[in-house]
Amino acid sequence: EYPYNLYGGMQDNGSWVGPAFVLKSGGIRNGDWQELYFGDGFDVLPRLSDTRYGWAMSQGGNLTYYDRLTGFNKFIKPVHPDNIRLRFNWNAGIAAVPGSDCSIYYGSQFVHRSDDCGTSWKVISPDLTTNDTTKQKQNKSGGLTIDATTAENNTTIISIAPSPVDPKTIWVGTDDGNVQLTRDGGLSWNNLVSKMPGCPAFAWIPQIEVSSSNAAEAYVVVNNYRRNDWKPYVFHTADYGATWKQIANEKEITSYVQCIVQDPVESGLLFLGADDGLYVSTDHGDHWTHFSAKVFPKASTSDLKIHPTDHSLAISTFGRSLWVMDNILPFREITHNNSILKKTFVFYPASPTVEASYRSVNGTRFTADGEFIGANRGGRADLLLYVKPAEKKDTSKIAVKEKSTAKKKPVILDEPLNTDTITVDSTKKKKDIKDKDLGKFYVLNADGDTLRYFNQKLTEKWNRVVWDLREKGVRFPSRSEPATDADDPAGQYVLPGKYKIVALYNGLKDSVNMTVALDPRLKISSADIDARNSMFKAFHQDVELAQKSFKALQDVRKDLKIIESIMVNAPDSTKNNIKDLQKTLIGKIESLEVKFMEPEDVKGYTNELNLGTYLSSTVDYLNTSLGDPGSNARDMMKKSHEEVQKLAADVNSFLDKDWSEFKSKIDLSKWPLFKKIEPLK
């Protein structure tokens, strides 16, 4: 789905679905989220063939098949055919059957399978737990009242991970230390925990991450903090559990682990969620880097999912909400080519960008303090550029270097991105930015033609560079002149296709390729956009003529000021005569300018028609057309064209007659350029 959705649960607050980002101008709001099922919320499975439906659970194995549209919930918790009491964890294991439309697995002490969306179930395993009866006495409380909410259930299945490569391979983890594997769809099972060196007995196995390309590969998360063991445990196997390697080391991971995810593209890229935040490894888990609190909160991180096509990472936490890292392509690049970290100036890969249409928010536009507004993606290309900090000279007399045999630990995102926009840092004026601080960026099409130029202040380390997906436009009539190195004005949106962004900075150069796609919700083709852009090009010719015409009037104003400044030494009679001529000429200029735009010192709101009104209306028609803008736009464009031609003719007439006559009456030889200074006595 586009945008794609996140599904998950909150304790005492049900199970929910909401967007990873929204195509709305007001950010992600509370109203964008929908409750699917109440109770304690846990994992949710959408039905991929029709996400109107799906499965959600609450504490103690309660399971429902929901309908997002009507709110109808069908209760489908499994019942054992032999009337055996089922033990469900407070947060029971659940998983979809890969490649199947309506088949799921669900865990009690057994693995249950349904092939009809939960209407009926069959047991496909024996009891996979230790079945220790001393841990099954929840109803025997030592207090005044029994408090057995199923959060106390033990000897239960808490993770189920079927392989997407081999549907008969299923991994299962329990809350009493068992790691079970079947390779024949449940006919036989093998407990692998005894082969995992250093794995604490009877610990929780909250998550098993299986490879998307190798049925023999899996990562098993183990935590044992409930028994005062706070060490990190993650075990990796690539041979169906015959051998294992512990990849979570205490020196780099400083709390117990809850989840892990392997990148489906670069197998060596791993993200890990621990009780103290988020970690990343780009070398198969040999080394780990902790995201600092400036980037990601040091919150208990409970689950991770990498979107298969969006190149983004979804993150859930305890108490600090859901997060989305929009672009993990830089981590893939580092994993693929670690030497990129040695580069001084580097553009990292960019996610494909969509020219999306944005609407307003649901509900009220202007909110009070009670409304949560989450950060959102922009309808633009967000690019990551790294500037290596200059090496600091060692001013000490003696520098002692410690030898180390350990591999160099990659340094990754350790500070927030510089979020300067295409303009400049808002705390500085444009003129205060030195040229050496500016990065210069050029947008090229597939043929190598330059479509757009812009610049941006860069700082050391990470910078976010933004391109609004538009090619070079034209400057409209304006009283303000652009700066010498001003950005190209924005024009129409580029056609879908491949583009290159070239960056120049202090003699350094790098580039990044990116793809631009159309909004999949809009029924629009490249031919439609081409038809619209053809009209834009014709319209831009009129705008350029209008801008040149208005600029000619501004140039005359400049010349008049120059004349005024150099006749300071003229006789008073000459000055007065020239001032009268200037006043008349300025009046004619002003009478022309108001045909372009409102007077500079206008107060209040006027409804006078001028060329600016026609041009802006034409832009509205062209910008909001999905294809050929139609007769309304043509009529408006024709009116704009007529007004431009008329005004250009009026300006030409003014230059040929009024301005020429004025210049003919100005004889610079009639007054001295320099003031006469008598000899001093």
Side-chain angles (χ1 to χ4, degrees):
E1 294 181 341
Y2 181 80
Y4 73 86
N5 288 307
L6 304 175
Y7 297 78
M10 292 183 281
Q11 183 178 346
D12 286 330
N13 200 23
S15 297
W16 295 78
V17 59
F21 58 97
V22 294
L23 302 177
K24 292 185 282 191
S25 57
I28 304 173
R29 305 288 185 91
N30 290 335
D32 293 315
W33 288 80
Q34 178 185 357
E35 184 185 88
L36 301 170
Y37 186 46
F38 193 58
D40 287 322
F42 299 106
D43 289 308
V44 181
L45 295 179
R47 183 176 176 181
L48 297 184
S49 63
D50 184 354
T51 56
R52 170 180 171 178
Y53 306 98
W55 299 268
M57 62 174 162
S58 64
Q59 63 270 35
N62 292 318
L63 185 65
T64 186
Y65 183 63
Y66 63 77
D67 180 344
R68 286 179 60 182
L69 181 63
T70 65
F72 180 75
N73 282 272
K74 180 180 180 181
F75 190 69
I76 58 169
K77 179 179 178 179
V79 177
H80 197 283
D82 298 330
N83 203 29
I84 296 174
R85 182 179 179 182
L86 299 178
R87 300 188 303 273
F88 289 97
N89 194 271
W90 186 61
N91 182 3
I94 190 171
V97 176
S100 177
D101 175 42
C102 214
S103 299
I104 65 169
Y105 297 115
Y106 199 40
S108 55
Q109 66 267 47
F110 310 104
V111 175
H112 306 261
R113 174 169 174 156
S114 174
D115 293 310
D116 54 11
C117 298
T119 301
S120 60
W121 297 87
K122 58 183 177 182
V123 177
I124 66 166
S125 79
D127 188 331
L128 297 180
T129 73
T130 61
N131 195 22
D132 185 346
T133 57
T134 64
K135 300 176 181 178
Q136 299 169 10
K137 299 179 180 181
Q138 286 76 10
N139 286 332
K140 295 183 179 180
S141 173
L144 294 176
T145 58
I146 294 174
D147 185 18
T149 64
T150 71
E152 302 77 17
N153 280 2
N154 198 211
T155 65
T156 62
I157 290 172
I158 56 175
S159 57
I160 302 174
S163 169
V165 181
D166 177 10
K168 292 186 176 181
T169 297
I170 309 168
W171 304 76
V172 169
T174 73
D175 63 1
D176 56 352
N178 285 350
V179 177
Q180 303 274 9
L181 173 66
T182 179
R183 296 178 60 186
D184 52 18
L187 296 178
S188 60
W189 293 82
N190 183 21
N191 189 1
L192 306 173
V193 70
S194 62
K195 299 181 179 180
M196 300 165 63
C199 181
F202 311 118
W204 279 47
I205 317 295
Q207 190 180 76
I208 301 175
E209 167 77 357
V210 294
S211 168
S212 60
S213 59
N214 180 8
E217 185 177 22
Y219 295 83
V220 174
V221 174
V222 179
N223 57 48
N224 199 35
Y225 65 89
R226 293 167 184 83
R227 297 194 300 167
N228 209 32
D229 177 4
W230 304 88
K231 295 179 183 178
Y233 298 100
V234 179
F235 296 88
H236 173 246
T237 182
D239 53 11
Y240 293 104
T243 58
W244 295 86
K245 178 183 178 182
Q246 220 292 52
I247 63 170
N249 64 79
E250 291 183 72
K251 291 183 179 180
E252 295 174 333
I253 301 173
T254 54
S255 70
Y256 64 85
V257 179
Q258 297 198 100
C259 55
I260 193 170
V261 66
Q262 181 186 40
D263 183 55
V265 177
E266 291 290 340
S267 61
L269 174 59
L270 303 171
F271 293 95
L272 179 146
D275 190 52
D276 63 350
L278 183 65
Y279 293 78
V280 64
S281 172
T282 59
D283 54 10
H284 297 271
D286 288 341
H287 296 90
W288 295 93
T289 299
H290 191 197
F291 282 75
S292 76
K294 291 185 290 184
V295 177
F296 186 82
K298 296 185 73 172
S300 184
T301 301
S302 53
D303 205 3
L304 302 164
K305 290 289 182 290
I306 293 176
H307 195 282
T309 59
D310 190 68
H311 316 296
S312 57
L313 171 70
I315 311 165
S316 71
T317 72
F318 184 86
R320 290 297 299 274
S321 192
L322 294 168
W323 297 71
V324 175
M325 187 186 295
D326 285 327
N327 180 15
I328 65 168
L329 291 178
F331 292 101
R332 286 179 180 167
E333 186 68 18
I334 292 169
T335 305
H336 179 72
N337 177 23
N338 192 259
S339 63
I340 196 172
L341 294 170
K342 299 178 181 178
K343 290 188 176 182
T344 303
F345 183 68
V346 57
F347 243 144
Y348 279 81
S351 295
T353 304
V354 175
E355 293 179 344
S357 176
Y358 278 61
R359 67 174 179 84
S360 185
V361 297
N362 296 351
T364 59
R365 175 187 290 266
F366 304 108
T367 61
D369 292 339
E371 179 75 6
F372 172 79
I373 301 177
N376 192 29
R377 296 186 189 181
R380 59 194 187 180
D382 282 332
L383 311 167
L384 292 182
L385 188 147
Y386 188 79
V387 179
K388 188 176 182 179
E391 292 186 6
K392 295 181 179 179
K393 295 182 179 179
D394 187 358
T395 57
S396 62
K397 293 182 179 180
I398 302 176
V400 180
K401 292 185 178 180
E402 294 183 2
K403 293 183 179 181
S404 174
T405 57
K407 294 181 181 178
K408 186 176 180 180
K409 177 180 170 183
V411 179
I412 304 172
L413 288 176
D414 60 348
E415 63 174 24
L417 293 174
N418 172 22
T419 54
D420 289 345
T421 60
I422 284 180
T423 55
V424 292
D425 188 333
S426 60
T427 62
K428 295 184 179 181
K429 295 181 180 179
K430 185 85 172 181
K431 65 181 180 180
D432 295 332
I433 305 302
K434 297 180 180 179
D435 189 63
K436 70 179 183 64
D437 295 326
L438 287 179
K440 300 183 178 182
F441 302 92
Y442 300 84
V443 180
L444 280 60
N445 63 14
D447 296 326
D449 300 323
T450 300
L451 302 183
R452 184 87 180 275
Y453 162 80
F454 61 89
N455 62 61
Q456 177 178 325
K457 176 180 175 288
L458 298 179
T459 61
E460 290 186 343
K461 297 192 176 181
W462 294 96
N463 294 264
R464 186 185 300 279
V465 178
V466 178
W467 172 42
D468 60 5
L469 306 182
R470 294 178 182 266
E471 59 183 65
K472 182 179 179 180
V474 293
R475 299 195 188 279
F476 282 66
S478 172
R479 290 186 174 90
S480 301
E481 289 193 3
T484 304
D485 196 31
D487 299 341
D488 285 339
Q492 63 267 31
Y493 283 103
V494 298
L495 293 171
K498 297 183 181 301
Y499 295 88
K500 176 185 283 188
I501 314 296
V502 178
L504 303 178
Y505 178 68
N506 289 341
L508 302 171
K509 180 180 179 181
D510 199 18
S511 63
V512 62
N513 295 318
M514 63 170 302
T515 302
V516 176
L518 296 176
D519 190 329
R521 304 166 305 154
L522 302 177
K523 305 305 179 183
I524 182 174
S525 66
S526 297
D528 293 328
I529 297 179
D530 208 26
R532 182 190 67 187
N533 287 356
S534 295
M535 286 188 69
F536 252 121
K537 291 176 182 177
F539 172 64
H540 282 171
Q541 293 178 0
D542 286 335
V543 176
E544 284 183 328
L545 180 56
Q547 191 270 341
K548 290 177 182 177
S549 300
F550 190 79
K551 186 176 184 301
L553 298 177
Q554 305 309 297
D555 288 342
V556 171
R557 280 185 176 273
K558 290 180 184 177
D559 285 347
L560 289 175
K561 288 185 177 180
I562 292 174
I563 292 171
E564 186 177 353
S565 66
I566 65 175
M567 70 175 189
V568 65
N569 297 321
D572 289 343
S573 59
T574 303
K575 286 182 183 179
N576 293 334
N577 183 41
I578 297 299
K579 285 181 178 179
D580 290 340
L581 292 174
Q582 283 182 318
K583 185 176 180 180
T584 301
L585 199 64
I586 289 292
K588 292 182 178 180
I589 291 175
E590 289 176 346
S591 66
L592 287 171
E593 287 177 338
V594 295
K595 295 180 181 180
F596 284 88
M597 63 187 69
E598 291 180 339
E600 193 170 14
D601 58 350
V602 68
K603 299 293 189 297
Y605 179 81
T606 66
N607 198 26
E608 295 292 330
L609 289 178
N610 52 50
L611 180 60
T613 305
Y614 294 117
L615 295 181
S616 62
S617 294
T618 305
V619 169
D620 287 342
Y621 281 110
L622 296 180
N623 265 338
T624 57
S625 299
L626 294 180
D628 189 318
S631 60
N632 274 349
R634 286 191 176 86
D635 290 343
M636 195 72 235
M637 189 170 164
K638 180 182 178 184
K639 182 64 177 174
S640 294
H641 176 75
E642 292 171 350
E643 290 295 319
V644 169
Q645 293 295 321
K646 181 180 177 182
L647 271 177
D650 289 344
V651 172
N652 280 332
S653 176
F654 166 80
L655 296 173
D656 292 341
K657 184 177 182 296
D658 302 283
W659 179 230
S660 295
E661 289 179 359
F662 177 85
K663 289 188 292 183
S664 68
K665 295 177 181 178
I666 304 298
D667 187 352
L668 297 179
S669 65
K670 289 185 178 180
W671 63 78
L673 182 60
F674 303 105
K675 184 177 181 179
K676 184 178 180 180
I677 302 175
E678 297 292 338
L680 300 175
K681 295 181 181 179

